[in-house]
Amino acid sequence: MRVAAQEIANALKARYGIAKSLIEVDAYIRQYVEHGKAQLIIAGEKVDLKAIIRQALNSLATRTVDLVQDTWLRCACSRAGRGGRA
């Protein structure tokens, strides 16, 4: 989750010019997961963070799946090189 939190913090800095700690961003992620929404008030206006959070979590999920697939393939190729035995 740290990777997703960092991605969200970077997006908030780039889009709105605000710096949030990873602890603060983690709270927004938890709000989104638990309640389906997360908002931030910037200059007196509510900003919906749903899209930013969803994008970061989807990116994290994709990276995780890619890592698992790559690891699985390396293991399978390694076993195949030893005659299929583990």
PDB file of all heavy atoms in Angstrom, residues 17-18 27 29 36 42 44 51 53-55 59 62 65 68-71 79 83 85:
ATOM      1  N   GLY A  17      -0.803  21.092  -5.711  1.00  0.00           N
ATOM      2  CA  GLY A  17       0.300  21.784  -5.057  1.00  0.00           C
ATOM      3  C   GLY A  17       0.326  21.610  -3.550  1.00  0.00           C
ATOM      4  O   GLY A  17       0.886  22.434  -2.845  1.00  0.00           O
ATOM      5  N   ILE A  18      -0.296  20.538  -3.058  1.00  0.00           N
ATOM      6  CA  ILE A  18      -0.303  20.298  -1.623  1.00  0.00           C
ATOM      7  C   ILE A  18       0.498  19.037  -1.295  1.00  0.00           C
ATOM      8  O   ILE A  18       0.483  18.072  -2.053  1.00  0.00           O
ATOM      9  CB  ILE A  18      -1.727  20.163  -1.046  1.00  0.00           C
ATOM     10  CG1 ILE A  18      -2.484  19.020  -1.724  1.00  0.00           C
ATOM     11  CG2 ILE A  18      -2.498  21.453  -1.181  1.00  0.00           C
ATOM     12  CD1 ILE A  18      -3.762  18.658  -1.027  1.00  0.00           C
ATOM     13  N   ALA A  27      -4.972   7.411   5.365  1.00  0.00           N
ATOM     14  CA  ALA A  27      -6.310   7.654   5.919  1.00  0.00           C
ATOM     15  C   ALA A  27      -7.330   7.866   4.795  1.00  0.00           C
ATOM     16  O   ALA A  27      -8.465   7.383   4.885  1.00  0.00           O
ATOM     17  CB  ALA A  27      -6.280   8.859   6.853  1.00  0.00           C
ATOM     18  N   ILE A  29      -7.105   6.584   1.768  1.00  0.00           N
ATOM     19  CA  ILE A  29      -7.299   5.262   1.159  1.00  0.00           C
ATOM     20  C   ILE A  29      -8.283   4.455   2.002  1.00  0.00           C
ATOM     21  O   ILE A  29      -9.209   3.825   1.476  1.00  0.00           O
ATOM     22  CB  ILE A  29      -5.962   4.505   1.016  1.00  0.00           C
ATOM     23  CG1 ILE A  29      -5.048   5.209   0.015  1.00  0.00           C
ATOM     24  CG2 ILE A  29      -6.212   3.061   0.580  1.00  0.00           C
ATOM     25  CD1 ILE A  29      -3.627   4.671  -0.018  1.00  0.00           C
ATOM     26  N   GLY A  36     -16.344   4.084   0.392  1.00  0.00           N
ATOM     27  CA  GLY A  36     -16.559   4.340  -1.030  1.00  0.00           C
ATOM     28  C   GLY A  36     -16.356   5.781  -1.445  1.00  0.00           C
ATOM     29  O   GLY A  36     -16.668   6.155  -2.570  1.00  0.00           O
ATOM     30  N   ILE A  42      -9.798  21.807  -0.267  1.00  0.00           N
ATOM     31  CA  ILE A  42      -8.698  22.637  -0.753  1.00  0.00           C
ATOM     32  C   ILE A  42      -9.266  24.005  -1.087  1.00  0.00           C
ATOM     33  O   ILE A  42     -10.189  24.110  -1.898  1.00  0.00           O
ATOM     34  CB  ILE A  42      -8.028  22.015  -2.004  1.00  0.00           C
ATOM     35  CG1 ILE A  42      -7.474  20.628  -1.667  1.00  0.00           C
ATOM     36  CG2 ILE A  42      -6.930  22.926  -2.535  1.00  0.00           C
ATOM     37  CD1 ILE A  42      -6.938  19.881  -2.873  1.00  0.00           C
ATOM     38  N   GLY A  44     -11.224  25.828   0.534  1.00  0.00           N
ATOM     39  CA  GLY A  44     -12.645  25.901   0.841  1.00  0.00           C
ATOM     40  C   GLY A  44     -13.547  25.069  -0.058  1.00  0.00           C
ATOM     41  O   GLY A  44     -14.756  25.091   0.092  1.00  0.00           O
ATOM     42  N   ALA A  51     -11.195   9.135  -7.853  1.00  0.00           N
ATOM     43  CA  ALA A  51     -10.504   8.771  -9.105  1.00  0.00           C
ATOM     44  C   ALA A  51      -9.003   8.592  -8.886  1.00  0.00           C
ATOM     45  O   ALA A  51      -8.406   7.649  -9.410  1.00  0.00           O
ATOM     46  CB  ALA A  51     -10.770   9.816 -10.176  1.00  0.00           C
ATOM     47  N   ILE A  53      -7.462   7.830  -6.053  1.00  0.00           N
ATOM     48  CA  ILE A  53      -7.234   6.639  -5.240  1.00  0.00           C
ATOM     49  C   ILE A  53      -7.472   5.374  -6.050  1.00  0.00           C
ATOM     50  O   ILE A  53      -6.673   4.433  -6.008  1.00  0.00           O
ATOM     51  CB  ILE A  53      -8.114   6.669  -3.979  1.00  0.00           C
ATOM     52  CG1 ILE A  53      -7.663   7.812  -3.070  1.00  0.00           C
ATOM     53  CG2 ILE A  53      -8.063   5.326  -3.249  1.00  0.00           C
ATOM     54  CD1 ILE A  53      -8.595   8.083  -1.896  1.00  0.00           C
ATOM     55  N   ARG A  54      -8.567   5.346  -6.804  1.00  0.00           N
ATOM     56  CA  ARG A  54      -8.874   4.170  -7.622  1.00  0.00           C
ATOM     57  C   ARG A  54      -7.745   3.890  -8.612  1.00  0.00           C
ATOM     58  O   ARG A  54      -7.327   2.745  -8.788  1.00  0.00           O
ATOM     59  CB  ARG A  54     -10.192   4.367  -8.363  1.00  0.00           C
ATOM     60  CG  ARG A  54     -10.697   3.100  -9.014  1.00  0.00           C
ATOM     61  CD  ARG A  54     -12.032   3.262  -9.712  1.00  0.00           C
ATOM     62  NE  ARG A  54     -13.017   3.917  -8.878  1.00  0.00           N
ATOM     63  CZ  ARG A  54     -13.762   4.947  -9.276  1.00  0.00           C
ATOM     64  NH1 ARG A  54     -13.643   5.445 -10.484  1.00  0.00           N
ATOM     65  NH2 ARG A  54     -14.643   5.495  -8.463  1.00  0.00           N
ATOM     66  N   GLN A  55      -7.227   4.928  -9.253  1.00  0.00           N
ATOM     67  CA  GLN A  55      -6.140   4.758 -10.222  1.00  0.00           C
ATOM     68  C   GLN A  55      -4.893   4.188  -9.544  1.00  0.00           C
ATOM     69  O   GLN A  55      -4.250   3.270 -10.063  1.00  0.00           O
ATOM     70  CB  GLN A  55      -5.813   6.089 -10.884  1.00  0.00           C
ATOM     71  CG  GLN A  55      -4.698   5.999 -11.904  1.00  0.00           C
ATOM     72  CD  GLN A  55      -4.425   7.343 -12.559  1.00  0.00           C
ATOM     73  OE1 GLN A  55      -5.093   8.329 -12.302  1.00  0.00           O
ATOM     74  NE2 GLN A  55      -3.419   7.370 -13.412  1.00  0.00           N
ATOM     75  N   SER A  59      -3.291   0.525 -10.251  1.00  0.00           N
ATOM     76  CA  SER A  59      -1.893   0.428 -10.653  1.00  0.00           C
ATOM     77  C   SER A  59      -1.145  -0.545  -9.749  1.00  0.00           C
ATOM     78  O   SER A  59      -0.365  -1.390 -10.222  1.00  0.00           O
ATOM     79  CB  SER A  59      -1.254   1.815 -10.592  1.00  0.00           C
ATOM     80  OG  SER A  59       0.113   1.756 -10.890  1.00  0.00           O
ATOM     81  N   THR A  62      -2.157  -4.106 -10.618  1.00  0.00           N
ATOM     82  CA  THR A  62      -1.509  -4.548 -11.857  1.00  0.00           C
ATOM     83  C   THR A  62      -0.058  -4.929 -11.608  1.00  0.00           C
ATOM     84  O   THR A  62       0.410  -5.967 -12.076  1.00  0.00           O
ATOM     85  CB  THR A  62      -1.586  -3.434 -12.922  1.00  0.00           C
ATOM     86  OG1 THR A  62      -2.965  -3.169 -13.199  1.00  0.00           O
ATOM     87  CG2 THR A  62      -0.877  -3.839 -14.200  1.00  0.00           C
ATOM     88  N   VAL A  65       0.048  -8.296  -9.715  1.00  0.00           N
ATOM     89  CA  VAL A  65      -0.240  -9.427 -10.602  1.00  0.00           C
ATOM     90  C   VAL A  65       0.954  -9.692 -11.516  1.00  0.00           C
ATOM     91  O   VAL A  65       1.349 -10.847 -11.704  1.00  0.00           O
ATOM     92  CB  VAL A  65      -1.528  -9.171 -11.418  1.00  0.00           C
ATOM     93  CG1 VAL A  65      -1.688 -10.197 -12.539  1.00  0.00           C
ATOM     94  CG2 VAL A  65      -2.747  -9.190 -10.497  1.00  0.00           C
ATOM     95  N   VAL A  68       3.686 -11.464  -9.533  1.00  0.00           N
ATOM     96  CA  VAL A  68       3.343 -12.859  -9.271  1.00  0.00           C
ATOM     97  C   VAL A  68       3.497 -13.693 -10.539  1.00  0.00           C
ATOM     98  O   VAL A  68       4.066 -14.788 -10.511  1.00  0.00           O
ATOM     99  CB  VAL A  68       1.912 -12.980  -8.689  1.00  0.00           C
ATOM    100  CG1 VAL A  68       1.452 -14.429  -8.640  1.00  0.00           C
ATOM    101  CG2 VAL A  68       1.861 -12.352  -7.303  1.00  0.00           C
ATOM    102  N   GLN A  69       3.015 -13.185 -11.667  1.00  0.00           N
ATOM    103  CA  GLN A  69       3.146 -13.918 -12.933  1.00  0.00           C
ATOM    104  C   GLN A  69       4.605 -14.116 -13.309  1.00  0.00           C
ATOM    105  O   GLN A  69       5.001 -15.213 -13.705  1.00  0.00           O
ATOM    106  CB  GLN A  69       2.414 -13.181 -14.054  1.00  0.00           C
ATOM    107  CG  GLN A  69       0.918 -13.315 -13.973  1.00  0.00           C
ATOM    108  CD  GLN A  69       0.211 -12.522 -15.059  1.00  0.00           C
ATOM    109  OE1 GLN A  69       0.737 -11.542 -15.591  1.00  0.00           O
ATOM    110  NE2 GLN A  69      -1.000 -12.940 -15.385  1.00  0.00           N
ATOM    111  N   ASP A  70       5.404 -13.072 -13.192  1.00  0.00           N
ATOM    112  CA  ASP A  70       6.827 -13.186 -13.526  1.00  0.00           C
ATOM    113  C   ASP A  70       7.521 -14.203 -12.622  1.00  0.00           C
ATOM    114  O   ASP A  70       8.325 -15.007 -13.085  1.00  0.00           O
ATOM    115  CB  ASP A  70       7.527 -11.829 -13.407  1.00  0.00           C
ATOM    116  CG  ASP A  70       7.125 -10.850 -14.490  1.00  0.00           C
ATOM    117  OD1 ASP A  70       6.501 -11.285 -15.488  1.00  0.00           O
ATOM    118  OD2 ASP A  70       7.432  -9.650 -14.333  1.00  0.00           O
ATOM    119  N   THR A  71       7.202 -14.146 -11.331  1.00  0.00           N
ATOM    120  CA  THR A  71       7.794 -15.083 -10.381  1.00  0.00           C
ATOM    121  C   THR A  71       7.376 -16.510 -10.717  1.00  0.00           C
ATOM    122  O   THR A  71       8.195 -17.433 -10.709  1.00  0.00           O
ATOM    123  CB  THR A  71       7.386 -14.723  -8.941  1.00  0.00           C
ATOM    124  OG1 THR A  71       7.820 -13.383  -8.684  1.00  0.00           O
ATOM    125  CG2 THR A  71       8.017 -15.664  -7.935  1.00  0.00           C
ATOM    126  N   ARG A  79      12.083 -25.089 -13.038  1.00  0.00           N
ATOM    127  CA  ARG A  79      11.745 -26.506 -12.853  1.00  0.00           C
ATOM    128  C   ARG A  79      11.839 -27.258 -14.159  1.00  0.00           C
ATOM    129  O   ARG A  79      12.287 -28.404 -14.190  1.00  0.00           O
ATOM    130  CB  ARG A  79      10.350 -26.638 -12.264  1.00  0.00           C
ATOM    131  CG  ARG A  79      10.303 -26.386 -10.778  1.00  0.00           C
ATOM    132  CD  ARG A  79       8.944 -26.735 -10.250  1.00  0.00           C
ATOM    133  NE  ARG A  79       7.972 -25.849 -10.837  1.00  0.00           N
ATOM    134  CZ  ARG A  79       7.258 -24.954 -10.170  1.00  0.00           C
ATOM    135  NH1 ARG A  79       7.388 -24.837  -8.892  1.00  0.00           N
ATOM    136  NH2 ARG A  79       6.408 -24.180 -10.787  1.00  0.00           N
ATOM    137  N   GLY A  83      14.242 -30.931 -15.508  1.00  0.00           N
ATOM    138  CA  GLY A  83      13.444 -32.109 -15.824  1.00  0.00           C
ATOM    139  C   GLY A  83      12.060 -32.083 -15.198  1.00  0.00           C
ATOM    140  O   GLY A  83      11.423 -33.110 -15.054  1.00  0.00           O
ATOM    141  N   ARG A  85      11.258 -31.311 -12.152  1.00  0.00           N
ATOM    142  CA  ARG A  85      11.205 -31.596 -10.704  1.00  0.00           C
ATOM    143  C   ARG A  85      11.488 -30.335  -9.904  1.00  0.00           C
ATOM    144  O   ARG A  85      12.317 -29.538 -10.283  1.00  0.00           O
ATOM    145  CB  ARG A  85      12.262 -32.657 -10.344  1.00  0.00           C
ATOM    146  CG  ARG A  85      11.862 -34.027 -10.833  1.00  0.00           C
ATOM    147  CD  ARG A  85      12.919 -35.041 -10.443  1.00  0.00           C
ATOM    148  NE  ARG A  85      13.377 -35.629 -11.720  1.00  0.00           N
ATOM    149  CZ  ARG A  85      14.615 -35.717 -12.130  1.00  0.00           C
ATOM    150  NH1 ARG A  85      15.571 -35.266 -11.376  1.00  0.00           N
ATOM    151  NH2 ARG A  85      14.915 -36.240 -13.286  1.00  0.00           N
TER     152      ARG A  85
END
